[in-house]
């Protein structure tokens, strides 16, 4: 019985392959499902489980707030939960999606009010959460050693330093001029603005997924 619960029906696999536009092979979908069921026995990824993932990855940081922001980035089903289908779609974007798709996802993380723009205050909230999580593991360059300095640098990167809101196009320019913010979202410690502290967590590429 346990084995049956960790294997999808062929029809479900084919539907998922279509919904993710062929991003994964049928075998990969089955492998992801097996890992998902193992780590999320309820059949849904809860906010508590995602917090635990980030807390395990950054045990000396404060991961709860950032994990809650990331949780918003997952598409929810009709029950307001993250099932395997929603999880796989997010993986398709984050792991193998186009650069624009990944940027759209990142933009959504910062657009806390869903207005289609990122306000300076909301940017500061998310960046502050990032710093709380990874802070114990990095030594920041002086020009970005506080969340406020990082946000000021981001807005300045658009050439519109006094602007209070960033559009998606502005955000794309920010990432181009200051890729450090993108690396932080990916939990990648290779940003040129930061220097790993003595006991840094593994590079994000080694953290292949939250379930495998």
């Amino acid at each position: 019985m346990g084995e049956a619960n960790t294997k999808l029906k062929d029809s479900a696999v084919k539907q998922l392959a279509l919904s993710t536009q062929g991003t994964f092979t049928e075998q990969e979908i089955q492998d992801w499902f097996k890992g998902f069921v193992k780590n999320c026995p309820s059949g849904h990824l809860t906010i508590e489980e995602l917090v635990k993932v980030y807390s395990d990855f950054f045990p000396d940081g404060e991961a709860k707030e950032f994990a809650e922001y990331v949780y918003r980035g997952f598409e929810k089903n009709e029950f307001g939960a993250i099932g395997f289908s929603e999880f796989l779609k997010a993986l398709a974007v984050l792991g193998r999606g186009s650069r624009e798709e990944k940027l759209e996802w990142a933009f959504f993380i910062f657009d806390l009010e869903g207005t289609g723009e990122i306000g300076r205050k909301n940017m500061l909230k998310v960046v502050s959460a990032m710093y709380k999580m990874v802070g114990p593991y990095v030594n920041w360059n002086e020009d970005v050693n506080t969340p406020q300095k990082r946000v000021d640098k981001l807005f300045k990167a658009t050439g519109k330093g006094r602007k209070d809101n960033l559009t998606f196009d502005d955000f794309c320019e920010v990432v181009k001029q200051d890729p450090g913010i993108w690396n932080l979202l990916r939990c990648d410690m290779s940003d040129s603005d930061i220097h790993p502290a003595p006991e840094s967590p593994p590079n994000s590429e080694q953290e292949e997924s939250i379930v495998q």
Side-chain angles (χ1 to χ4, degrees):
M1 181 174 178
E3 180 64 25
N5 289 334
T6 61
K7 187 175 178 62
L8 289 166
K9 293 181 179 179
D10 289 344
S11 58
V13 172
K14 292 183 185 301
Q15 183 59 44
L16 286 168
L18 286 173
S19 68
T20 55
Q21 300 179 329
T23 301
F24 303 104
T25 67
E26 293 186 9
Q27 184 57 55
E28 285 176 326
I29 292 173
Q30 290 286 12
D31 291 342
W32 279 113
F33 182 70
K34 183 176 181 180
F36 186 86
V37 171
K38 177 182 177 181
N39 289 274
C40 305
S42 68
H44 298 93
L45 176 65
T46 66
I47 181 63
E48 291 79 15
E49 287 164 336
L50 190 60
V51 169
K52 184 178 184 302
V53 169
Y54 278 98
S55 295
D56 288 345
F57 195 50
F58 297 98
D60 296 325
E62 299 177 28
K64 183 176 184 296
E65 188 175 352
F66 181 68
E68 289 174 346
Y69 289 136
V70 171
Y71 194 79
R72 292 182 61 255
F74 285 87
E75 180 184 349
K76 311 299 190 300
N77 60 29
E78 63 268 29
F79 303 107
I82 298 172
F84 179 68
S85 175
E86 293 76 30
F87 175 75
L88 194 69
K89 289 175 184 177
L91 281 182
V93 171
L94 297 178
R96 302 177 186 177
S98 68
R99 179 174 176 80
E100 184 173 359
E101 288 174 324
K102 293 177 180 178
L103 286 171
E104 288 175 351
W105 178 85
F107 183 82
F108 181 77
I109 298 296
F110 285 101
D111 182 16
L112 299 181
E113 297 172 8
T115 62
E117 294 185 329
I118 302 173
R120 190 181 288 263
K121 289 183 179 179
N122 286 340
M123 174 75 81
L124 182 59
K125 287 180 181 178
V126 179
V127 172
S128 295
M130 291 177 178
Y131 273 51
K132 288 178 184 177
M133 182 174 69
V134 305
Y137 302 97
V138 297
N139 297 311
W140 306 96
N141 283 351
E142 186 175 354
D143 65 331
V144 290
N145 62 5
T146 69
Q148 186 65 63
K149 287 183 179 180
R150 169 67 77 174
V151 171
D152 289 344
K153 181 178 180 179
L154 291 171
F155 274 78
K156 185 178 181 180
T158 66
K160 306 170 185 178
R162 294 182 177 275
K163 190 172 183 179
D164 290 327
N165 297 287
L166 299 180
T167 64
F168 177 69
D169 288 341
D170 291 332
F171 182 72
C172 291
E173 182 64 22
V174 161
V175 173
K176 179 180 178 180
Q177 297 295 327
D178 181 15
I181 195 66
W182 175 243
N183 289 336
L184 282 172
L185 277 171
R186 296 172 57 242
C187 300
D188 186 345
M189 299 294 101
S190 64
D191 180 5
S192 61
D193 284 330
I194 63 179
H195 309 284
E199 295 186 1
S200 299
N203 184 279
S204 62
E205 292 181 358
Q206 295 175 310
E207 176 79 350
E208 189 168 295
S209 77
I210 68 171
V211 297
Q212 282 197 327

